[in-house]
């Protein structure tokens, strides 16, 4: 077939061209149309293609577009050029099934919008720190310190060495833990730390014990690992032998999530004995002990002589959730294994934020910030308790311990706390239902106060009064 014949008669090429996503550059569209024609053998191997001039004239597109399409077809091996003799279609094996070319998406996939993901915290939303008091300038300065040639290179898979040293210094002073920086593994939050523990230490079918009430994110990790998940309450640790053997037990001994109570020393020791006898791992999830009402408590890790406790810490609450930095403190026997796992998972985390955080801690900004936040959160907690006390909800008990970043308001059994949360969410209050952390705990609402100034808190409490009172009225 002569070249002009090909152009005139091959209506398929025009149709192919029109079927390709019009938002693509025109040379790419022509490339895709020609490639499809070649792969479907509408243009056979050995065929001489029209000259770029002829094809551009016939399709009404620029010659450069045709040239670029031909060059790409040549580079990928669909066309062969013979000096002075033009371009020929290569002889190719038959393609049994062809992947679809990029298609026009008429119905865009429904992804959450950036504003839905990053939306401003809702009223009374738990787990959000006081962003209105965050030391933005000082953090910017610390970030700048990470913008160096070292910060641009891939870092230590175990985590920035200076950050690990600073964490060790902090844990020694605050939590009574004497550890080596080599025992610290930086993670993208304690959620990832706990995931790594499950990945490395738990096999499908292993028995794992999780504290009730407890964080659902943790529960999901062990479900995904195929573990046989059982539950226990802190008060059951009086008779720890009844727990039976397990591969691993996870708890929040410094401040139960979400009620805030602390595991007493006798139960900590009993649990450590149980772990020794059963050769079980203990995960100490220390998600917000920095904000306990009294002095900082020693970590359970610091009592453990037999190296069976893995400590999971996070900067999500002490700094901000978007930082996505946390850490594991590992028994010496696990360091090499976890370091290797980290190398396999992602080769290490982004370096600049780690360097910035190391600088923020080293220059004292971190401890100054936390001291201020601890004072502020105690004031905000008191303010929320007072507002609730002066409202029509004053008869509802506040349960759990003081301190922290949220409080728990009990509602009568019979009240569906999840339904309440859904109704509150529709009008801007982001409470959480206690029953989602423990179905046996009864109904209640987890109300955050850390991120709320007086105005926001008053608005939140007014809405809460309206919605909860209406729900209580229906019970009568
Ligand atoms: C008890 C508990 N553990 C772990 C996590 C996970 O925290 P991170 O943001 O560090 O992954 C959370 C998050 O809210 C939590 O409440």
């Amino acid at each position: 077939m002569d070249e002009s014949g090909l152009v005139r008669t091959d209506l398929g090429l025009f149709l192919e061209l029109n079927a390709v996503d019009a938002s693509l550059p025109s040379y790419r569209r022509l490339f895709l149309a020609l490639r499809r024609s070649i792969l479907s053998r509408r243009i056979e191997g050995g065929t001489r293609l029209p000259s770029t001039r002829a094809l551009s004239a016939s399709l009404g597109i620029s010659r450069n577009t045709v040239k670029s399409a031909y060059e790409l077809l040549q580079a990928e091996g669909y066309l062969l050029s013979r000096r002075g003799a033009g371009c020929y279609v290569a002889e190719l094996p038959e393609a049994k099934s062809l992947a679809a070319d990029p298609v026009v998406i008429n119905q865009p996939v429904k992804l959450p919008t950036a504003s839905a993901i990053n939306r401003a915290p809702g009223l009374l939303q738990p787990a959000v720190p006081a962003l209105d008091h965050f030391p933005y300038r000082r953090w910017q300065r610390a970030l700048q310190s990470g913008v160096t040639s070292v910060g641009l290179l891939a870092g230590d898979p175990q985590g920035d060495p200076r950050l690990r040293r600073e964490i060790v210094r902090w844990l020694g002073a605050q939590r009574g833990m004497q550890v080596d920086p080599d025992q610290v593994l930086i993670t993208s939050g304690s959620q990832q730390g706990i995931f790594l523990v499950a990945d490395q230490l738990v096999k499908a079918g292993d028995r794992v014990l999780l504290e009730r009430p407890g964080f659902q994110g943790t529960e999901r990790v062990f479900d995904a690992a195929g573990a046989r998940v059982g539950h226990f309450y802190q008060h059951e640790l009086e008779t720890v032998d009844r727990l039976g053997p397990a591969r691993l037990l996870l708890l929040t001994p410094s401040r139960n999530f979400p009620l805030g109570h602390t595991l007493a020393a006798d139960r900590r020791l009993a649990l450590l004995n149980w772990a020794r006898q059963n050769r079980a791992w203990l995960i100490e999830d220390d998600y917000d002990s920095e904000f306990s009402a009294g002095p900082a408590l020693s970590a359970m890790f610091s009592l453990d002589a037999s190296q069976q406790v893995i400590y999971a810490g996070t900067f999500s609450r002490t700094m901000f959730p978007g930082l996505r930095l946390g850490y594991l403190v590992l028994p010496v026997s696990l360091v090499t294994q976890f370091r290797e796992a980290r190398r396999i998972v992602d080769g290490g985390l982004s370096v600049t934020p780690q360097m910035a955080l190391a600088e923020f801690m080293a220059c004292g900004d971190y401890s100054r910030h936390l001291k201020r936040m601890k004072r502020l959160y105690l004031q905000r907690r008191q303010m929320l308790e007072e507002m609730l006390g002066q409202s029509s909800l004053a008869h509802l008990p506040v349960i759990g311990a003081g301190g922290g970043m949220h409080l728990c308001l009990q509602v009568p059994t019979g009240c569906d706390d999840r339904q309440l949360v859904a109704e509150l969410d529709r009008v801007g209050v982001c409470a959480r239902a206690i029953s989602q952390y423990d179905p046996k705990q009864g109904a209640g609402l987890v109300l955050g106060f850390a991120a709320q100034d007086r105005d926001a808190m008053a608005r939140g409490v007014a809405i809460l009064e309206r919605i909860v009172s209406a729900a209580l009225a229906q019970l009568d």
Side-chain angles (χ1 to χ4, degrees):
M1 185 192 298
D2 81 350
E3 60 181 46
S4 53
L6 175 76
V7 174
R8 242 183 293 114
T9 56
D10 198 348
L11 181 63
L13 182 55
F14 292 88
L15 296 178
E16 290 286 4
L17 198 54
N18 285 332
V20 179
D21 184 349
S23 67
L24 293 173
S26 40
Y27 83 91
R28 185 116 213 133
R29 292 181 63 213
L30 180 59
F31 161 80
L32 288 170
L34 281 166
R35 190 183 68 170
R36 185 153 279 272
S37 297
I38 293 169
L39 288 172
S40 64
R41 297 186 180 254
R42 219 176 0 256
I43 308 179
E44 286 171 8
T47 307
R48 181 171 176 234
L49 283 197
S51 67
T52 52
R53 187 190 305 276
L55 193 58
S56 79
S58 129
L59 294 180
I61 52 180
S62 87
R63 197 166 161 206
N64 275 345
T65 300
V66 180
K67 263 192 190 159
S68 303
Y70 277 19
E71 274 165 20
L72 193 51
L73 286 163
Q74 230 175 299
E76 293 193 7
Y78 297 102
L79 290 189
L80 304 168
S81 93
R82 293 190 196 144
R83 246 186 173 201
C87 283
Y88 288 81
V89 174
E91 299 286 353
L92 297 167
E94 193 183 348
K96 294 277 186 224
S97 69
L98 291 182
D101 287 329
V103 286
V104 189
I105 301 173
N106 293 325
Q107 270 198 325
V109 183
K110 268 206 162 175
L111 294 175
T113 59
S115 59
I117 297 169
N118 276 341
R119 67 179 185 174
L123 297 170
L124 302 179
Q125 183 167 335
V128 184
L131 303 181
D132 53 338
H133 284 254
F134 185 74
Y136 290 90
R137 282 246 184 80
R138 295 192 161 275
W139 177 240
Q140 269 162 5
R141 206 174 303 163
L143 272 173
Q144 255 160 9
S145 76
V147 186
T148 62
S149 56
V150 176
L152 301 187
L153 293 170
D156 183 339
Q158 199 171 332
D160 179 62
R162 186 170 178 229
L163 176 58
R164 290 192 278 123
R165 281 198 300 277
E166 286 304 322
I167 290 172
V168 161
R169 216 156 58 90
W170 175 261
L171 293 176
Q174 299 290 320
R175 322 284 292 125
M177 291 166 65
Q178 298 304 319
V179 289
D180 190 275
D182 275 349
Q183 288 175 261
V184 177
L185 179 89
I186 306 295
T187 62
S188 64
S190 46
Q191 180 74 18
Q192 190 194 43
I194 293 166
F195 175 83
L196 283 173
V197 171
D199 182 58
Q200 291 299 304
L201 302 180
V202 174
K203 292 193 302 299
D206 280 351
R207 186 163 182 254
V208 163
L209 295 171
L210 305 180
E211 182 184 18
R212 277 255 160 99
F215 178 54
Q216 293 155 307
T218 309
E219 187 107 17
R220 281 196 287 270
V221 166
F222 291 102
D223 281 344
R228 276 185 302 129
V229 175
H231 297 97
F232 69 94
Y233 291 87
Q234 284 198 4
H235 67 80
E236 287 172 344
L237 299 178
E238 274 170 31
T239 47
V240 76
D241 290 337
R242 287 207 202 138
L243 290 177
R247 172 72 173 153
L248 180 149
L249 180 147
L250 180 144
L251 75 170
T252 51
S254 297
R255 286 181 48 78
N256 165 265
F257 180 81
L259 298 181
H261 50 254
T262 303
L263 190 67
D266 55 343
R267 292 178 198 177
R268 289 178 184 226
L269 293 169
L271 200 50
L272 288 168
N273 286 338
W274 170 86
R276 201 165 26 248
Q277 278 156 15
N278 288 281
R279 301 167 65 86
W281 296 107
L282 293 180
I283 304 186
E284 176 171 18
D285 179 1
D286 205 12
Y287 69 103
D288 83 343
S289 65
E290 289 84 357
F291 303 120
S292 56
L297 299 173
S298 307
M300 216 165 136
F301 189 103
S302 66
L303 288 172
D304 173 31
S306 57
Q307 298 259 319
Q308 283 172 283
V309 178
I310 299 165
Y311 177 97
T314 179
F315 292 99
S316 289
R317 294 179 187 230
T318 55
M319 291 290 285
F320 51 94
L323 183 58
R324 300 314 300 146
L325 283 177
Y327 52 95
L328 291 177
V329 185
L330 298 161
V332 174
S333 63
L334 291 179
V335 168
T336 309
Q337 180 183 348
F338 274 67
R339 190 178 159 82
E340 200 45 38
R342 162 103 273 167
R343 205 194 293 276
I344 293 167
V345 169
D346 54 16
L349 297 167
S350 184
V351 175
T352 302
Q354 294 185 66
M355 289 176 71
L357 185 55
E359 172 63 20
F360 197 73
M361 293 178 90
C363 72
D365 282 342
Y366 185 68
S367 62
R368 271 190 292 277
H369 173 55
L370 283 193
K371 246 185 234 153
R372 275 202 299 270
M373 289 311 99
K374 187 165 174 170
R375 244 192 336 266
L376 179 74
Y377 294 170
L378 288 173
Q379 285 163 6
R380 287 188 167 177
R381 182 183 179 102
Q382 199 182 348
M383 192 156 77
L384 181 55
E385 286 188 8
E386 281 168 12
M387 285 186 193
L388 289 169
Q390 287 154 14
S391 77
S392 59
L393 306 177
H395 61 291
L396 298 179
V398 171
I399 47 172
M405 295 169 64
H406 61 250
L407 59 75
C408 297
L409 187 71
Q410 196 169 2
V411 296
T413 14
C415 210
D416 181 345
D417 56 0
R418 295 182 200 214
Q419 168 87 27
L420 264 182
V421 162
E423 280 176 44
L424 287 165
D425 191 61
R426 280 196 281 277
V427 282
V429 171
C430 288
R432 303 278 180 260
I434 288 185
S435 69
Q436 84 186 65
Y437 306 115
D438 176 14
K440 289 198 202 142
Q441 187 65 42
L445 296 172
V446 180
L447 306 173
F449 48 76
Q452 314 292 308
D453 62 17
R454 181 176 287 280
D455 269 7
M457 200 180 278
R459 273 185 287 132
V461 171
I463 296 173
L464 198 68
E465 252 190 303
R466 180 161 57 79
I467 305 269
V468 176
S469 301
L472 296 182
Q474 287 195 338
L475 288 182
D476 297 336

